[in-house]
Amino acid sequence: MDKNGVTELRPVQKAVWEETIGHGRFNRDICMSSFARSGRTLAYVLVIVRMLSTTTTRDRKLRALVLLPNSDLAMEVKEVFDLWVRDQHLSVGLAAGKSSIKKEISALIKKPKSDGEQPCSRVILLLHEEG
């Protein structure tokens, strides 16, 4: 974490980490509420990146989805994910309606080269604007 400038977790980050990765680990959805600039984004980014980077799969399928209320926030959150996944061999995609749907689909899904081959995801984590 230190390489990205984080030397200590904030309270919301510690709480989410303990509930999902730490000694209180339990597989379930987490809903968090915290004031602005409290570290909520990094709280779930750290957990998702850790879980995806420590589990392997041979399938190139979408493994995580983050829904955000608007495209500006989706782009901001993608920047945070990009910073934390760069050494993890993970890929992050964004579908926020900022370009044509055809362009977004081609950036996210690899089409089969031959009959019998299935389409596969180019990304394992997708950020998407709700709506």
Side-chain angles (χ1 to χ4, degrees), residues 36-53:
R37 314 288 304 159
S38 64
R40 283 180 306 224
T41 299
L42 191 55
Y44 63 81
V45 167
L46 291 175
V47 169
I48 291 171
V49 169
R50 172 62 183 260
M51 288 180 155
L52 293 180
S53 66

Side-chain angles (χ1 to χ4, degrees), residues 44 48 52 60-68 73-75 77-78 81-82 85 90-97 101 103-109 121-130:
Y44 63 81
I48 291 171
L52 293 180
R60 289 287 300 166
K61 294 182 179 178
L62 186 65
R63 293 171 53 203
L65 173 66
V66 178
L67 295 175
L68 297 152
L73 182 58
M75 288 186 295
V77 172
K78 183 179 185 311
F81 269 106
D82 285 341
V85 302
L90 300 173
S91 52
V92 180
L94 176 65
I101 189 72
K103 243 184 189 179
E104 284 189 351
I105 289 172
S106 68
L108 299 172
I109 299 171
S121 178
R122 293 185 188 272
V123 299
I124 60 164
L125 169 64
L126 176 64
L127 303 170
H128 182 32
E129 174 187 4
E130 291 181 300

